[in-house]
Amino acid sequence: MIIGTVSSASRLPSAMILAKSVKKHMRESKVVVGIIEDSMPSEALIYPYFDEVVLIKDLGTYPDMQKFFFQYTAEEATRACRAPMMKHIYNKYTDEHLMLYMDAETKVVSPLEELAAAAANHPIILIGNVVHPETLDMDWLSGIRHRGIYHPGFLALKRHPDAERFLSWWSKLSENNSYYDHGSKRFADQAWLDLTHTLFDDVYALRHNGYLVTAENIMERWNIHQVSPEAYTIDGQPLRSIHVTDDFLHATSWIDSERGELFGSLFQDYSEERKGMAQRAVNSAPWSYSRFAGGEPIEDQTKEMFRRHYYVNPEIDNPFLLSNAFFTGEQRSVEAPSLPALLPKSKPVMQARRRRLRRKKEYSVRKKRRASSV
């Protein structure tokens, strides 16, 4: 099995914990990390539990990787780069038949034994935010509609034509659509996975209590027991992995104290381990793609305008050489082209214009021929 994840420099300590936990419980598995920075953090190259570390920009998944990164915030870029990361793994490790993506904040607690059995019959494996029908009351339903049916931080693929089609579809959508929708207050990619069962055959939803316990689903997976110093079960099923975010500890207060304390101890262990990793790998520098070349922070409004109006425009060679003022129109340099001239024209509009010009020219030629023949 090959596990892929995506990390910025600031999230590298979490990716290190993920890789170390994978090697502890699944020694033969490989861990491949995609870094969403302009240059490689030195700590990533020497960490012994990473089998391969790549800069996402070097994968060449999209025609212009600078423009790809310019349009996104760090969180949006992390989500947008899941597909390129998995596509890289799928294309490079051709002898491997089972590939798994996990967010960097995931920690493996025990071997992921159920995945191989599921992949024997299903090329695409997802995990639902809710796995038991009786859990889904109206309050939960509202949350599911907001977050999506499936958790985008866990996805397994078997080498199969359907998996290839899925990767192509996922990559295409990720290029220009992995933004945060402020209107619906959700990330756009959360809605895509909801369509997976409709668009692809043999999609399997892994309904297992122990996979990817999160702050959002801990109310459903509350019944945790410790069966040995490092082994836990939830409703009798082994705890396989947890997704640790800042609100995880707060979520433990929603369940009874004994169970909450077990989850709380897992959170504390993770936090202490992350502090240790951060001492050797934390990077206080801003995200590489969050500033213009001159040091000016790129505003979210600028990123949104670029994504909507300038992404496909060939006249902008490197947006990082410009400024917020250029995109917002507050001020423009004399040398800079005016904004209207840079607004992209869609292919259908340009094609219609060419047809009109061609027809006008043909009509003029025919009119001259008729006049000369009289």
Side-chain angles (χ1 to χ4, degrees):
M1 184 189 302
I2 295 187
I3 288 90
T5 193
V6 173
S7 175
S8 60
S10 63
R11 298 171 77 172
L12 194 57
S14 295
M16 289 177 165
I17 294 175
L18 169 62
K20 185 177 179 180
S21 68
V22 168
K23 296 295 186 177
K24 177 180 180 180
H25 297 287
M26 299 180 294
R27 189 170 298 176
E28 301 303 317
S29 296
K30 293 184 174 67
V31 178
V32 182
V33 182
I35 304 295
I36 53 169
E37 299 286 351
D38 188 53
S39 59
M40 181 67 71
S42 58
E43 297 84 0
L45 293 173
I46 61 175
Y47 190 61
Y49 299 112
F50 292 162
D51 293 282
E52 182 188 10
V53 187
V54 296
L55 288 174
I56 294 291
K57 72 169 188 175
D58 292 340
L59 299 183
T61 308
Y62 305 116
D64 193 321
M65 296 301 291
Q66 281 189 316
K67 290 184 177 181
F68 167 77
F69 279 115
F70 185 86
Q71 68 183 320
Y72 289 135
T73 64
E75 179 61 29
E76 290 170 341
T78 299
R79 302 170 83 97
C81 289
R82 290 165 173 160
M85 182 77 264
M86 292 302 289
K87 201 168 187 179
H88 165 72
I89 290 173
Y90 192 96
N91 292 335
K92 179 174 181 178
Y93 296 91
T94 55
D95 292 335
E96 187 61 54
H97 294 283
L98 182 56
M99 292 139 278
L100 171 64
Y101 174 84
M102 288 193 287
D103 277 347
E105 293 78 14
T106 308
K107 181 176 181 178
V108 175
V109 181
S110 62
L112 308 179
E113 297 175 351
E114 294 77 12
L115 281 183
N121 300 309
H122 307 282
I124 303 169
I125 302 170
L126 307 175
I127 285 184
N129 282 307
V130 173
V131 298
H132 296 298
E134 56 272 17
T135 306
L136 195 61
D137 56 21
M138 290 307 297
D139 290 336
W140 271 87
L141 185 59
S142 176
I144 293 301
R145 286 171 174 166
H146 185 256
R147 293 192 304 272
I149 297 172
Y150 300 107
H151 196 295
F154 182 102
L155 189 149
L157 299 173
K158 179 180 73 171
R159 191 165 297 281
H160 188 276
D162 278 348
E164 293 180 22
R165 289 177 56 238
F166 174 86
L167 278 174
S168 296
W169 169 75
W170 193 17
S171 297
K172 183 179 180 180
L173 288 174
S174 296
E175 180 180 5
N176 194 226
N177 298 281
S178 282
Y179 52 85
Y180 180 78
D181 188 336
H182 291 275
S184 62
K185 296 183 179 180
R186 66 186 301 202
F187 287 95
D189 65 327
Q190 292 173 310
W192 307 343
L193 291 181
D194 291 355
L195 301 173
T196 310
H197 270 99
T198 304
L199 300 175
F200 300 95
D201 296 326
D202 293 327
V203 178
Y204 183 71
L206 184 63
R207 295 177 60 246
H208 190 290
N209 292 315
Y211 276 78
L212 207 67
V213 177
T214 70
E216 289 80 15
N217 65 27
I218 199 170
M219 284 289 289
E220 183 186 42
R221 323 286 178 86
W222 67 273
N223 193 22
I224 183 173
H225 290 83
Q226 187 169 12
V227 295
S228 72
E230 295 187 350
Y232 302 82
T233 62
I234 297 179
D235 286 333
Q237 293 182 305
L239 175 61
R240 298 303 191 194
S241 64
I242 57 176
H243 188 265
V244 186
T245 51
D246 291 339
D247 54 349
F248 190 91
L249 183 60
H250 175 69
T252 64
S253 64
W254 303 342
I255 57 182
D256 73 75
S257 59
E258 183 180 353
R259 306 292 188 270
E261 287 175 3
L262 287 177
F263 278 121
S265 66
L266 287 170
F267 176 85
Q268 295 297 345
D269 290 344
Y270 182 91
S271 298
E272 290 300 318
E273 189 173 6
R274 195 183 188 286
K275 287 179 184 178
M277 293 293 185
Q279 290 177 356
R280 58 188 290 188
V282 72
N283 190 328
S284 58
W287 183 47
S288 299
Y289 300 104
S290 66
R291 294 176 179 268
F292 289 99
E296 178 188 3
I298 304 172
E299 298 174 356
D300 289 349
Q301 180 186 3
T302 294
K303 289 179 174 292
E304 182 181 358
M305 289 186 66
F306 177 80
R307 180 174 62 244
R308 293 173 58 188
H309 300 297
Y310 296 90
Y311 181 76
V312 297
N313 196 299
E315 294 183 52
I316 294 181
D317 181 46
N318 185 353
F320 288 98
L321 299 178
L322 302 175
S323 66
N324 288 306
F326 177 87
F327 292 100
T328 59
E330 293 174 0
Q331 60 182 6
R332 302 172 191 142
S333 65
V334 177
E335 297 80 8
S338 61
L339 287 176
L342 285 172
L343 288 175
K345 301 177 180 64
S346 64
K347 289 183 179 180
V349 172
M350 297 182 70
Q351 291 171 354
R353 181 175 295 177
R354 293 191 188 103
R355 286 196 296 270
R356 287 197 298 271
L357 291 172
R358 187 168 61 250
R359 289 169 184 168
K360 186 175 181 180
K361 183 177 180 181
E362 291 173 352
Y363 174 77
S364 177
V365 170
R366 289 197 299 268
K367 187 176 180 179
K368 289 179 181 179
R369 287 176 179 171
R370 285 198 301 271
S372 62
S373 62
V374 174

